[in-house]
Structure formats: structure tokens, C-alpha cells
Amino acid sequence: MKFRINRRDWNKNKCFFPFTLILFILAIHWATFFGSSLQLGKFHIDITSRLQTEHCSTWLSRNNNLSILPNFIQNTDVFLTIEGGWWYKPNYLHHSLPYGIKGNEVVVKKILARTQFNMPKEIDRLNCKRCVIVGNGNTLRNSSLGETINKYDVVIRLNNAPVRGYEKDVGNKTTLRIFYPESTIEDPTVENNLDTLFVLVPFKAADINWLKAIVYNETRITTGFWKRPAFVKNLDPAKVRILNPYFMYQAATKLLDQPNMIKRRGNHPTTGFLAITLGLNYCDEVDVAGFGYPLNQKDGRIHYFDRLSMKQMANSVHNVTHEHLFLKKLKNAGVIKCLT
Ligand SMILES: *[C@@H]1O[C@H](CO)[C@@H](O)[C@H](O)[C@H]1NC(C)=O
Ligand SMILES: *[C@@H]1O[C@H](CO)[C@@H](O)[C@H](O)[C@H]1NC(C)=O
Ligand SMILES: *[C@@H]1O[C@H](CO)[C@@H](O)[C@H](O)[C@H]1NC(C)=O
Ligand SMILES: *[C@@H]1O[C@H](CO)[C@@H](O)[C@H](O)[C@H]1NC(C)=O
């Protein structure tokens, strides 16, 4: 069976709406979920049947307006690798964190000497890589998307998003867990699979030093964070990866078209946006779920896993309209698809 996008279903699908008032708490990097309320219907069923077919509708072929991604250069090196002399090439790594690794080359090299830097071979060799990025949004609650999510080749989860107890709605497969130190939990094996890869997004030097201490079982770094990281145990170095800072660079300068981000401190693309950027580089199909704010309801829950509401996050907020507008454009052009 061939998969076709039904335009009407797209219009009904409210992921990433509305954008004008979107706010989020920068400090907690909560913007791993965008948009508003959830609608399931035919669209959901279409996705399920598509996953069972051989047909690959790559995002590039679906993209009916290429001008949305004018300067997009695909880079399939998802992780920093020690191969190929990366410390003097390519150029983008010459930026400071989080857009490059300038000043942290030595520590990064040490980490890479202990960890690995490949995607699992069984995924790498797929002709059609189908990826889903599972955000933490409340739109996943009662969504019954668990089985659908589990069928993707690559399931990307963000930060400390739990799985146990929510399997019916969010699935229980995790290929990549994208995180930074402040978002970790003590025992990373609890909410992940045996083969889950733990992918650090290095925002600052402390993040790199923290990872090195874990990988080498040294005294933990506890200063330099905006929230004290959990004392992470059982993190198998063979499962640790460092996200290629190219995605941060590309997200800021090419996708969001905000070259100033690189000069200013503090206002970086969010982990959710980075995960989508990773998807566009590595995956043939990029679907997203759980990217949503209950913007129309003050008491609306934010996450699928706790009771935090819009009211509680009303105080320290920061405007990321830009990210949301861009994701909406991607959605409207058929580049990414929303399951919720
Ligand atoms: C394609 O996108 C550009 C810029 O986003 C816009 O100006 C143009 O009208 C779009 N074309 C179509 C056919 O949607
Ligand atoms: C989810 O389902 C439970 C029980 O079936 C119900 O009590 C709850 O209101 C539902 N939540 C949402 C957000 O629909
Ligand atoms: C996920 O859940 C299914 C069904 O409950 C189970 O068979 C499978 O072993 C689980 N997988 C993992 C990795 O926990
Ligand atoms: C890590 O170091 C602690 C003490 O510093 C030691 O008890 C523990 O066995 C070490 N773990 C590994 C995996 O080497």
C-alpha cells in the first residue's frame, strides 16, 4: 500500500499551533515540546499502515517547497568521531561550545578514546531510515501511540522523559536518548533499553568534563551547572556518544537563520529542535510526537508524565517564537509529520 498525505488531515492536525504567544522556560530547556492540543484520527491510522509498507516517502521527496531549507547541507555524521582528524577539520568545530568544541578538544578526544562514535550497523545499513522524535508534551497522554512509536527504526527521546508506566502512550523503545547533565537521572538503565545510546548535547565545558569523569570513573564534576546533575551510575561508556555540534551550528545559522545565536550566550536551539535537526540529517522520514503546549488552557498540563501546568511556567519565560514558526513551516511543507 502506498502512503499518501491527506491534506485535510494535515490541516486538522494542530501540532505547532498557535505560535504568536508561545513562551517557554529557557532555564529548564522545556521547549522540547511545541504547539498545542492533540487530534488523532485518520492521520494516525495512515502513519501506522505506512510503517508496515516498503514504500519510503523521504522528507526530501515530500518537501513541496524546497525554499524552506535553502542552505541545508546534509551531514550524516551524527556523533563526534575520533576518526578523520576532526580536531583540525571541519571548520564548524572551530566555534566555541555549543556550536563547536574549540577549547575542549583535549577532553573530547579523551572521552572518544573510551566511548564509541558509530550508529548501530543494523540502522546504518537501512535504505529507508524512519525516525520518530518523541517530545515530552502532554499531547502524548492517552494517545495510545506506543505501538506506533515502537515500529520506527529510530526512536529518539529527550532528556529524562520516562517510559515505564507510559508504554501504551509513548512506547518502550529508545534508540537514542539525547540529554545534557542537568537532565539526567541516577540510573539511566531504568527508562531505556539495553542497546539505547546516550547522546550528550554539550552546551558548555562543564558538560564535557562531567562526561569525562563518568566515562573514566573519576570524581564527579558538580560545579558549573544551572542545576546539580544526578549522580549517574551504570552508564556504559560503549553506549555513550557526543552529538555532533554541527547540528547546533546548522540549526542556528541555516535553519533558524539566527547567526547571532553563535555570538550571544544563553539563547541556543533547544534539545527538541536539535533532535529534529539530527533527524533531517540522518533520517529519510522524520515524524514527531509529543511536541505540544496546551496554550489555550491555563491549567493545561505540559508533560505527559507530571502535573506541571501552564500556570506554573508563566513566570520565568522566554520567547522562542522563531523555533516554533520554523517547525510549523516544516510541517506545512510536509517535511516533518506530527503524530499528535
Ligand atoms: C515557498 O516558500 C517561500 C518562502 O518560505 C514562499 O515565499 C513561497 O510563496 C512558497 N511557495 C509555495 C509554492 O508555497
Ligand atoms: C486519560 O485517561 C484516563 C482514564 O482512562 C482519564 O481519567 C483521563 O482524564 C484521560 N486524560 C486525558 C488527558 O484525556
Ligand atoms: C516492550 O514491550 C513489549 C510488550 O510489552 C515487550 O514484549 C518488550 O520486551 C518490551 N521491550 C523492551 C525493550 O522493554
Ligand atoms: C569506580 O570507582 C569507585 C571508587 O572510586 C569504585 O568503587 C568502583 O568500583 C569503580 N567502578 C568501576 C566500574 O570501575
Side-chain angles (χ1 to χ4, degrees):
M1 201 172 76
K2 227 175 168 186
F3 175 69
R4 270 185 58 236
I5 299 168
N6 180 328
R7 277 274 140 208
R8 277 229 309 277
D9 288 344
W10 268 109
N11 295 339
K12 272 194 307 193
N13 174 346
K14 289 199 268 170
C15 180
F16 305 139
F17 278 85
F19 293 94
T20 44
L21 295 171
I22 287 184
L23 304 164
F24 88 128
I25 301 176
L26 180 69
I28 320 190
H29 290 257
W30 268 339
T32 44
F33 17 82
F34 318 89
S36 72
S37 64
L38 148 81
Q39 290 212 349
L40 289 174
K42 274 197 213 114
F43 181 68
H44 171 203
I45 295 157
D46 283 352
I47 292 280
T48 311
S49 48
R50 176 173 57 86
L51 289 174
Q52 292 156 353
T53 67
E54 293 301 308
H55 181 69
C56 185
S57 94
T58 68
W59 69 258
L60 215 57
S61 69
R62 284 182 201 164
N63 181 3
N64 53 24
N65 187 351
L66 281 164
S67 65
I68 285 169
L69 296 167
N71 303 311
F72 188 82
I73 298 168
Q74 210 162 27
N75 184 340
T76 54
D77 296 332
V78 177
F79 312 118
L80 271 186
T81 161
I82 206 161
E83 288 159 352
W86 53 260
W87 45 91
Y88 60 88
K89 62 175 186 182
N91 282 337
Y92 60 82
L93 289 175
H94 289 238
H95 292 283
S96 302
L97 283 166
Y99 301 99
I101 52 158
K102 188 175 157 199
N104 299 275
E105 293 89 343
V106 174
V107 184
V108 168
K109 263 197 249 185
K110 273 201 174 138
I111 295 172
L112 294 178
R114 263 282 164 98
T115 62
Q116 290 174 22
F117 23 83
N118 59 302
M119 268 286 189
K121 284 202 174 55
E122 64 274 18
I123 294 173
D124 245 348
R125 65 167 174 248
L126 291 172
N127 284 330
C128 183
K129 301 181 187 75
R130 295 170 171 132
C131 304
V132 62
I133 294 131
V134 184
N136 299 347
N138 191 51
T139 51
L140 281 164
R141 208 188 287 256
N142 290 6
S143 68
S144 299
L145 278 173
E147 273 184 41
T148 304
I149 288 171
N150 283 343
K151 282 181 195 145
Y152 283 82
D153 305 310
V154 178
V155 179
I156 304 178
R157 294 185 202 273
L158 308 172
N159 302 330
N160 53 0
V163 164
R164 305 286 161 238
Y166 303 94
E167 290 91 343
K168 192 171 157 289
D169 294 330
V170 306
N172 64 355
K173 171 175 175 176
T174 308
T175 317
L176 306 179
R177 169 80 64 173
I178 301 204
F179 72 97
Y180 44 80
E182 292 91 340
S183 75
T184 50
I185 55 172
E186 196 172 297
D187 185 351
T189 60
V190 174
E191 301 290 353
N192 297 289
N193 313 138
L194 288 174
D195 55 359
T196 299
L197 298 181
F198 297 91
V199 184
L200 175 79
V201 181
F203 281 94
K204 52 194 182 300
D207 299 349
I208 301 273
N209 293 327
W210 174 90
L211 186 64
K212 178 186 156 258
I214 288 184
V215 162
Y216 282 89
N217 196 22
E218 297 164 348
T219 308
R220 298 299 156 88
I221 313 283
T222 54
T223 53
F225 302 99
W226 49 264
K227 176 184 164 231
R228 197 186 168 103
F231 193 87
V232 180
K233 290 175 228 164
N234 304 330
L235 196 55
D236 176 5
K239 300 282 184 286
V240 169
R241 304 287 186 275
I242 302 176
L243 189 74
N244 189 345
Y246 175 75
F247 300 135
M248 189 75 86
Y249 176 79
Q250 184 191 44
T253 63
K254 310 281 191 235
L255 303 186
L256 297 171
D257 194 17
Q258 299 268 289
N260 281 338
M261 272 185 167
I262 293 192
K263 291 172 208 139
R264 279 197 301 260
R265 295 186 54 175
N267 187 16
H268 308 305
T270 61
T271 45
F273 194 80
L274 277 180
I276 292 173
T277 306
L278 186 169
L280 293 173
N281 280 281
Y282 184 72
C283 309
D284 297 291
E285 298 184 7
V286 184
D287 297 347
V288 305
F291 279 67
Y293 274 144
L295 288 173
N296 307 323
Q297 316 138 259
K298 274 220 175 71
D299 295 331
R301 301 255 185 94
I302 293 174
H303 298 146
Y304 68 82
F305 51 83
D306 63 22
R307 306 185 66 85
L308 199 71
S309 73
M310 292 300 285
K311 221 171 4 188
Q312 285 162 286
M313 61 179 263
N315 292 331
S316 48
V317 289
H318 184 85
N319 197 321
V320 284
T321 308
H322 226 84
E323 230 174 62
H324 297 90
L325 281 174
F326 183 73
L327 289 175
K328 185 186 165 196
K329 269 206 257 176
L330 289 187
K331 194 211 86 175
N332 289 343
V335 173
I336 61 173
K337 286 196 277 189
C338 302
L339 303 188
T340 58

